[in-house]
């Protein structure tokens, strides 16, 4: 069984499952990092087409406890102390919630692959995930049980365990389901400057969803039957895993999501809300009149020792 990254997902994710805290140095064998600062057992992380991916996962979802050092703007502590700590979390994101109980049926965005981060953490353990995604938690942090994510990812993940690929950008379509299992599709290589697209679309006559990540060199596709689950919250997200300094993020200090299209029964015009979970890198958002959403940060401050 291979792993998945995402929250985005994945995740991105994995909110609503049975979770227990875990110090990074005491992570049990067989667990892999996931978007959202969560870890999943490798037996519950699957490639598309894996027939063993059915039924509830027998292992708990774990959450790393080291998420408390850079979650604020008070950097009066000596850098030598800060450099020894890190966080894994959604860093900054925009969200919108469906105005109806029917939820969304479609979400698509385009964005440009940024440059490679200048820092990669000890043993290349730092990772960056950039994605648009859909959840079922109504926009309440920690309330979701599922997430769909077309993820642009840099660094190690449960879906990318090959160290030779930890210094490149890849696209992959993620699904984290209500059984505590994660599903990852093919990794598609992309380069800085490439325009990529993430699409999540519901079938017309069922609740089957297709997650598609499109790059110049290929397409990553993941399909899932959501059964009775209604996807009612949409996100545009910058996430960091094992972030020691702001130079673990791309040096441009911005990623811009354009041509954002969200559909649903009686959804109407979309209004985005800013959510900043970490501000040590001056994280922020820029909502423009044409519907463009930019996530911003300053990669030049609080650099990795």
């Amino acid at each position: 069984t291979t792993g998945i990254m995402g929250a985005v997902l994945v995740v991105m994710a994995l909110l609503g499952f049975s979770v227990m805290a875990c110090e990074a140095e005491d992570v049990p064998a067989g667990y892999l990092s996931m978007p959202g600062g969560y870890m999943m057992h490798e037996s519950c992380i699957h490639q598309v087409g894996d027939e063993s991916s059915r039924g509830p996962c027998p292992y708990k979802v774990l959450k790393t406890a080291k998420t408390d050092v850079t979650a604020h703007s008070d950097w009066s502590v000596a850098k030598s102390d800060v450099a020894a700590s890190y966080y894994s979390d959604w860093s900054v994101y925009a969200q919108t919630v469906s105005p109806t109980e029917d939820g969304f049926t479609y979400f698509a965005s385009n964005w440009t692959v940024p440059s490679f981060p200048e820092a990669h953490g000890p043993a290349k353990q730092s990772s960056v995930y950039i994605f648009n995604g859909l959840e079922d938690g109504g926009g309440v942090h920690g309330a979701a049980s599922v997430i769909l994510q077309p993820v642009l990812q840099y660094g190690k993940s449960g879906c990318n365990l090959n160290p030779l690929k930890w210094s490149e950008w890849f696209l992959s379509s993620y699904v984290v389901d209500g059984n505590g299992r994660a599903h990852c599709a093919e990794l598609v290589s992309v380069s800085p400057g490439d325009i990529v697209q993430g699409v999540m679309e519901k079938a017309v006559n069922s609740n089957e969803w297709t997650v598609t990540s499109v790059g110049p060199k290929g397409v990553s596709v993941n399909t899932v039957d959501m059964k009775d689950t209604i996807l009612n919250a949409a996100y545009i997200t910058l996430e960091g895993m094992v972030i020691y300094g702001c130079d673990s993020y791309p040096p441009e200090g911005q990623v811009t999501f354009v041509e954002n299209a969200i559909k649903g029964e009686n959804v109407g015009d979309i209004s985005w809300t800013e959510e900043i979970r970490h501000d040590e890198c001056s994280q922020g958002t820029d909502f423009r009149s044409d519907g463009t959403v930019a996530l911003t940060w300053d990669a030049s401050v609080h650099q990795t020792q």
Side-chain angles (χ1 to χ4, degrees):
T1 302
T2 20
I4 185 174
M5 172 153 109
V8 224
L9 48 29
V10 261
V11 111
M12 21 143 119
L14 303 178
L15 305 177
F17 297 127
S18 175
V19 175
M20 64 182 184
C22 175
E23 291 291 344
E25 60 270 25
D26 296 325
V27 173
Y31 276 80
L32 299 171
S33 298
M34 294 291 297
Y38 290 83
M39 310 189 79
M40 297 185 71
H41 193 269
E42 60 186 359
S43 66
C44 299
I45 302 172
H46 311 274
Q47 290 285 343
V48 168
D50 183 353
E51 293 300 319
S52 68
S53 63
R54 299 171 182 169
C57 174
Y59 294 90
K60 289 180 178 289
V61 176
L62 308 180
K63 191 176 192 310
T64 61
K66 291 232 175 191
T67 58
D68 57 347
V69 175
T70 56
H72 52 77
S73 57
D74 181 9
W75 281 76
S76 57
V77 63
K79 281 192 68 177
S80 59
D81 296 330
V82 172
S85 301
Y86 62 87
Y87 66 85
S88 297
D89 198 4
W90 290 20
S91 181
V92 58
Y93 61 96
Q95 73 171 25
T96 187
V97 177
S98 172
T100 74
E101 62 181 13
D102 297 320
F104 298 122
T105 60
Y106 180 90
F107 182 20
S109 301
N110 296 343
W111 66 101
T112 300
V113 180
S115 301
F116 301 123
E118 295 181 0
H120 211 163
K124 295 186 177 181
Q125 294 301 299
S126 297
S127 301
V128 176
Y129 311 128
I130 301 171
F131 60 89
N132 59 341
L134 291 173
E135 287 186 347
D136 65 336
V140 178
H141 188 77
S145 64
V146 301
I147 187 168
L148 310 186
Q149 298 164 290
V151 179
L152 173 65
Q153 56 192 56
Y154 176 85
K156 179 184 177 181
S157 72
C159 209
N160 181 10
L161 298 177
N162 183 351
L164 298 178
K165 294 183 177 181
W166 292 351
S167 299
E168 303 176 47
W169 286 107
F170 288 94
L171 279 173
S172 184
S173 295
Y174 290 77
V175 172
V176 177
D177 65 27
N179 287 320
R181 296 184 181 274
H183 310 264
C184 57
E186 178 184 0
L187 286 171
V188 174
S189 177
V190 293
S191 302
D194 286 348
I195 296 175
V196 299
Q197 182 181 53
V199 182
M200 292 145 284
E201 184 170 19
K202 178 182 175 295
V204 175
N205 297 317
S206 70
N207 203 23
E208 181 177 270
W209 282 80
T210 300
V211 184
T212 307
S213 303
V214 183
K217 301 174 186 176
V219 178
S220 178
V221 180
N222 207 332
T223 302
V224 60
D225 182 357
M226 298 303 295
K227 302 186 185 302
D228 297 327
T229 300
I230 303 298
L231 300 178
N232 54 19
Y235 299 92
I236 290 175
T237 305
L238 169 70
E239 179 172 7
M241 296 290 289
V242 194
I243 298 298
Y244 283 85
C246 300
D247 49 357
S248 293
Y249 293 118
E252 289 90 338
Q254 178 171 289
V255 61
T256 303
F257 287 73
V258 301
E259 300 179 32
N260 298 302
I262 300 182
K263 301 177 184 178
E265 189 70 26
N266 299 315
V267 167
D269 294 335
I270 294 299
S271 177
W272 293 99
T273 301
E274 175 185 80
E275 298 290 341
I276 299 175
R277 290 184 55 78
H278 298 266
D279 63 4
E280 81 291 349
C281 305
S282 300
Q283 288 92 330
T285 60
D286 181 10
F287 304 142
R288 302 170 188 171
S289 59
D290 63 354
T292 293
V293 175
L295 305 177
T296 63
W297 62 92
D298 185 350
S300 68
V301 299
H302 312 307
Q303 296 194 344
T304 305
Q305 290 276 307

